[in-house]
């Protein structure tokens, strides 16, 4: 178990850091440079999902396109490091919050430690959906297989239709499987815990990037959020897309607010890249970002701290570029929403979710303090 667990963690770090280091070096704004080591994984997530969506449409499986993506990114990394140097490392800003994130991850792994092997914790249907499609994407694109028998083929078609707007997380899970050689049911819960732990990093970047709190206060806030995440763990242990969106949301909000307050190309590019990490995970999640962004813009215009015309132009350009870059996941989301509304909301949700196959088990049972009921 522990060798498999370590291999998943290494693959997670390798994919996100190798995919994000070059882009981060080129577009990170000055305001976030002291936290560069913490920012890299989020831009890495955007990079791998951007290419994964393209190669999935072409029909390549992750066992092929994972290495193609890494090969494409390598020249960018070499160019960025040669031009900008290695990422700036500020131990006082990065190490404490990484330690807190590591502790949250290890505590979240207690249910698997108590089981003694890697598996899916809980009985929510998303686990079956994600793991099955992640394994499907190892050798296939978004098209269903033609040689697996009618039952498996029809199942894949149904799953692809149900999850068409949230394929990004399955691509990433499939890429981890391609690197480690492990099946989806072994990587699923571990990835949820990893993304749940870097939520603290993203929140720390929000309060530090916006200048709301001091370093010590920001670290204390990250610790409180870590405790909250662990208490909430029983409700999100089977929702990979939700956890991935939550992990990127605070940084995406900080980058977007900074873009409005300081309009220049780097801030625009940085905001688009981080927001795209959310959109390529779940396009519907953009609603979580737009409300506070518009409220901030309206408040600044009301206080005459921003010019209305320039602010509208900035948001319009930001939205246009964001839409172009994320056209594949957004088109899938629009298709899903159209199908949902075309038959009526109630019937649409019944078709997408024919039965609630999940239930929440007590936390004492989740963490192994009381015996499970199989």
């Amino acid at each position: 178990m522990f060798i498999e667990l370590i291999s998943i963690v290494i693959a997670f770090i390798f994919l996100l850091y190798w995919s994000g280091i070059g882009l981060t070096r080129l577009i990170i704004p000055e305001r976030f440079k002291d936290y560069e080591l913490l920012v890299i994984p989020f831009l890495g997530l955007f990079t791998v999902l951007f290419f994964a969506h393209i190669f999935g449409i072409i029909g390549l499986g992750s066992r092929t396109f994972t290495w193609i993506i890494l090969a494409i990114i390598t020249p960018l990394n070499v160019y960025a490091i040669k031009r900008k140097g290695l990422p700036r490392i500020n131990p006082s800003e990065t190490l404490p919050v990484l330690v807190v994130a590591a502790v949250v991850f290890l505590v979240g792994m207690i249910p698997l430690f108590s089981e003694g092997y890697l598996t899916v914790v809980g009985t929510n249907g998303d686990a079956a959906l994600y793991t099955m499609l992640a394994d499907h994407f190892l050798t296939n694109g978004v098209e269903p297989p033609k040689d697996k028998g009618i039952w498996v083929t029809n199942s894949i078609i149904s799953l692809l239709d149900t999850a068409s707007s949230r394929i990004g997380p399955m691509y990433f899970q499939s890429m981890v499987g391609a690197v480690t050689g492990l099946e989806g049911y072994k990587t699923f819960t571990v990835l949820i815990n990893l993304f749940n732990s870097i939520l603290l990093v993203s929140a720390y970047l929000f309060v530090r990037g916006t200048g709301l709190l001091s370093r010590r206060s920001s670290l204390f806030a990250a610790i409180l959020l870590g405790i909250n995440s662990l208490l909430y763990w029983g409700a999100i242990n089977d929702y990979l897309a939700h956890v991935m969106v939550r992990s990127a949301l605070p940084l995406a909000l900080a980058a977007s607010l900074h873009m409005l307050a300081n309009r220049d190309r780097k801030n625009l590019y940085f905001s688009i890249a981080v927001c795209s990490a959310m959109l390529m995970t779940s396009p519907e999640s953009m609603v979580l970002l737009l409300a506070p962004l518009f409220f901030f813009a309206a408040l600044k215009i009301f206080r005459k701290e921003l010019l209305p015309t320039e602010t509208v132009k900035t948001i319009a350009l930001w939205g246009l570029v964001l839409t172009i870059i994320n056209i594949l996941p957004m088109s899938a989301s629009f298709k899903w929403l159209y199908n949902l509304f075309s038959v009526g909301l109630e019937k649409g949700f019944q078709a997408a979710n024919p039965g609630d196959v999940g239930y929440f088990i007590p936390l004492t049972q989740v963490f192994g303090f009381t015996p499970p009921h199989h």
Side-chain angles (χ1 to χ4, degrees), residues 1 109-117 365-369:
M1 169 185 175
M109 287 297 297
I110 288 178
L112 291 184
F113 293 151
S114 66
E115 290 289 339
Y117 56 91
Q365 183 177 315
V366 168
F367 285 95
F369 299 128

Side-chain angles (χ1 to χ4, degrees), residues 307-319:
L307 297 175
T309 304
E310 294 299 320
T311 303
V312 171
K313 286 182 180 179
T314 301
I315 293 177
L317 178 60
W318 172 81

Side-chain angles (χ1 to χ4, degrees), residues 96-111:
V97 71
L98 288 177
V99 170
V100 174
V103 171
V104 169
F105 169 71
L106 291 174
V107 175
M109 287 297 297
I110 288 178

Side-chain angles (χ1 to χ4, degrees), residues 253-331:
L253 182 56
S256 301
L257 297 180
H258 193 66
M259 171 198 69
L260 287 180
N262 305 272
R263 295 187 300 275
D264 60 44
R265 287 187 179 182
K266 275 194 174 182
N267 286 313
L268 178 66
Y269 298 156
F270 183 64
S271 173
I272 289 171
V274 180
C275 292
S276 293
M278 283 181 55
L279 275 171
M280 294 197 176
T281 300
S282 176
E284 301 91 343
S285 66
M286 202 60 189
V287 176
L288 302 174
L289 183 65
L290 290 177
L293 186 64
F294 286 141
F295 177 79
F296 175 82
L299 183 63
K300 289 291 185 179
I301 291 173
F302 177 76
R303 291 180 175 179
K304 298 182 179 180
E305 297 175 10
L306 292 177
L307 297 175
T309 304
E310 294 299 320
T311 303
V312 171
K313 286 182 180 179
T314 301
I315 293 177
L317 178 60
W318 172 81
L320 177 63
V321 177
L322 204 58
T323 301
I324 294 172
I325 291 176
N326 295 276
I327 191 66
L328 292 178
M330 288 183 71
S331 61

